[in-house]
Amino acid sequence: MKKQFSSSWWYIPVVTAFTLGTLSCSDKEDKKNDNGDIIPDKNNAALTLPEGFGALIVADSVGEARHLAVNKNGDVLVKLNKPKDGKGILILSDKDGDGKAESKTGFGNYGGTGITLKGNYLYASSNTSVFRYALDENELPENTNTPDTIVHGLIDRRQHNSKSITLDDNNNLYVNIGAYSNACQERDRTKDSPGMYPCTILDSAGGIWKFRANAMKQSYGEGARYATGLRNVVGLDWNKEDNTLYVMQHGRDNLHDLFPDLYDAQVSADLPAETLYKIEEGDDAGWPYVYYDQNQGKKILSPEYGGDGQKEPEVGKGKNAIDPLVAFPAHMAPNGLLFYTGSMFPEKYKNGAFVAFHGSWNRAPEEQEGFMVAFVPFKGGKPAGEWEVFAKGFAGVDPVLSPGDAKHRPCGLAQGPDGSLYVSDDAGGTIYRIVYNGK
């Protein structure tokens, strides 16, 4: 284990364009080196990266940037958690090829997290719905005032309500519907309150749902629960190497606060793991009945269901739950997952998984952790080594004692057409681009 360091909507068409003079943060004297490579910022955008890598800021102060996608021309499409100036989706364009966005267009007045490009369409989600926009020859959305409504009516109880999305190659759309609860207690986040059994939340949340990507106005009745027992998944991706869905789960909170006789504050800060799962149809990851203890290396029965920090799952309460492929330290909030298929980075990164950790809020009395991008090497669809920190320094302060101290919090990941890696930040509204110019 790596050493540790968590409705309805209305639509008004809005499309504007203007110069982003304040969004570029470094000199623009030289755009590319003699090999034609983009030149990173002089300070690598204040990030610490492996040797040979550099970083630049594409844009900053764009809003609460959640997930993002990059089209074949290098335009960056960003989903905002909350609309800014009436726009919930941004398109950042680099007109002169220096890696910096000089112009921005925006449309869609709904907030949300999910956005992805697939085939001839852009897909984007609110907290209740998934919309689809046809693309023109430049892979930019057409008719932004009349998107197709692919999915609607998904539950939004304001807790774990982001609807992250990914697609496979067979016109299937996968949507996370997070559990509107910490551990399915009768009284949520209340000391000594027992867990509901069975957990009725799992009927409509706490899992991944599958819909057809080319069908209109689907809801629960037209979709299928693809996997269950997942408290909240913000980062998910379809791995093309083995044609399988992978997800990053946010582990539960408040073990000490809710059960102080069983867990002290330090143990609660360290448990449970944030977990990477390979998901097959019908899988159950065990929430809320179990959590994964990365120190003991096994699933543990949750205290709401009779657990004491040592007991293993029982029949009907997570005994048959799948195990994670990778267990990360607790409370780091994995918000982005991307399997790298590009050719820019060295061979070790090919088909490996990048994970964007948003950063914790509840590790007291320990320091808050996360605020970085990790990498997990893969080979043949399986982890091929221990995870490692790939990019750090986003927070801008060290140590991070309060989550509000962090200047930037990684959220989304996307791969550019040249193989560079883009990272969004929903605290400072910065879009980063990581490139490799080493030999």
Side-chain angles (χ1 to χ4, degrees):
M1 176 55 58
K2 179 76 178 180
K3 182 179 179 182
Q4 103 177 35
F5 288 42
S6 213
S7 86
S8 62
W9 67 284
W10 57 280
Y11 188 92
I12 296 176
V14 180
V15 181
T16 61
F18 51 89
T19 300
L20 298 180
T22 62
L23 293 188
S24 295
C25 297
S26 65
D27 296 335
K28 302 174 99 176
E29 299 172 357
D30 297 312
K31 299 176 182 179
K32 298 182 179 180
N33 62 21
D34 293 339
N35 296 321
D37 301 322
I38 290 287
I39 295 177
D41 291 346
K42 292 177 181 178
N43 67 344
N44 277 338
L47 301 182
T48 300
L49 300 161
E51 184 176 357
F53 287 89
L56 60 153
I57 292 176
V58 176
D60 62 21
S61 303
V62 302
E64 296 179 25
R66 297 290 282 177
H67 288 176
L68 70 169
V70 185
N71 70 14
K72 64 182 180 181
N73 295 325
D75 300 309
V76 183
L77 297 94
V78 184
K79 189 73 196 72
L80 299 184
N81 187 45
K82 298 176 182 177
K84 184 175 181 180
D85 299 326
K87 297 174 286 292
I89 300 174
L90 305 180
I91 303 174
L92 308 176
S93 299
D94 173 17
K95 301 297 186 181
D96 60 7
D98 68 344
K100 305 288 186 176
E102 291 82 40
S103 68
K104 175 175 68 173
T105 58
F107 62 95
N109 66 346
Y110 57 93
T113 290
I115 191 166
T116 190
L117 293 162
K118 189 70 175 181
N120 297 319
Y121 296 99
L122 169 72
Y123 297 82
S125 67
S126 70
N127 290 335
T128 63
S129 307
V130 181
F131 307 106
R132 187 182 74 171
Y133 301 82
L135 300 175
D136 64 18
E137 65 277 6
N138 296 314
E139 286 195 339
L140 292 174
E142 299 180 310
N143 301 321
T144 54
N145 60 330
T146 55
D148 297 327
T149 300
I150 302 300
V151 181
H152 69 108
L154 303 181
I155 198 163
D156 177 5
R157 297 278 180 87
R158 299 184 179 274
Q159 181 177 184
H160 306 150
N161 61 346
S162 63
K163 303 301 185 288
S164 304
I165 58 175
T166 193
L167 292 94
D168 64 18
D169 293 326
N170 291 310
N171 275 321
N172 293 309
L173 169 71
Y174 301 87
V175 184
N176 165 66
I177 306 178
Y180 47 93
S181 171
N182 175 45
C184 204
Q185 290 174 285
E186 292 179 0
R187 297 179 303 283
D188 191 34
R189 299 181 189 264
T190 300
K191 184 176 179 293
D192 296 326
S193 177
M196 293 186 285
Y197 186 79
C199 178
T200 56
I201 288 172
L202 295 173
D203 290 346
S204 58
I208 306 296
W209 265 254
K210 182 171 77 170
F211 301 92
R212 296 297 295 168
N214 55 1
M216 302 296 111
K217 296 185 178 179
Q218 303 163 89
S219 195
Y220 288 99
E222 294 74 35
R225 186 170 58 181
Y226 190 77
T228 191
L230 292 160
R231 176 177 178 268
N232 188 36
V233 169
V234 184
L236 75 170
D237 196 18
W238 186 262
N239 185 345
K240 293 185 177 181
E241 187 181 27
D242 64 356
N243 288 315
T244 307
L245 178 68
Y246 288 75
V247 306
M248 285 295 315
Q249 176 175 235
H250 283 225
R252 59 156 304 151
D253 303 322
N254 305 123
L255 286 171
H256 170 66
D257 295 340
L258 302 178
F259 298 91
D261 294 339
L262 299 176
Y263 304 90
D264 64 30
Q266 187 167 3
V267 168
S268 186
D270 186 47
L271 292 176
E274 309 281 42
T275 42
L276 171 63
Y277 289 102
K278 178 178 181 176
I279 299 293
E280 305 281 0
E281 189 165 9
D283 277 346
D284 182 353
W287 181 91
Y289 309 118
V290 302
Y291 63 83
Y292 194 81
D293 185 322
Q294 70 273 26
N295 300 316
Q296 297 186 63
K298 62 182 181 180
K299 299 183 291 287
I300 299 296
L301 186 65
S302 297
E304 290 83 1
Y305 297 92
D308 60 2
Q310 301 294 323
K311 290 182 182 178
E312 297 187 24
E314 301 173 352
V315 174
K317 295 180 180 178
K319 186 174 180 62
N320 296 322
I322 61 174
D323 288 319
L325 292 180
V326 183
F328 295 89
H331 310 305
M332 297 203 304
N335 274 13
L337 176 64
L338 173 75
F339 282 90
Y340 183 78
T341 60
S343 57
M344 174 187 283
F345 291 4
E347 183 64 24
K348 69 170 279 188
Y349 296 98
K350 191 77 169 186
N351 297 315
F354 287 100
V355 183
F357 286 98
H358 193 238
S360 57
W361 63 269
N362 58 344
R363 293 194 74 251
E366 305 298 315
E367 298 171 7
Q368 305 303 313
E369 294 290 358
F371 315 100
M372 55 90 171
V373 175
F375 175 73
V376 182
F378 266 70
K379 187 174 182 180
K382 297 180 180 179
E386 292 194 359
W387 71 274
E388 61 191 58
V389 175
F390 174 74
K392 63 180 180 178
F394 294 93
V397 294
D398 187 21
V400 182
L401 300 179
S402 169
D405 296 340
K407 294 180 173 60
H408 306 280
R409 304 186 73 172
C411 187
L413 299 168
Q415 181 180 303
D418 64 348
S420 54
L421 180 69
Y422 291 76
V423 184
S424 63
D425 146 47
D426 66 359
T430 300
I431 308 299
Y432 299 85
R433 180 178 177 183
I434 299 174
V435 298
Y436 182 75
N437 292 335
K439 303 300 179 184

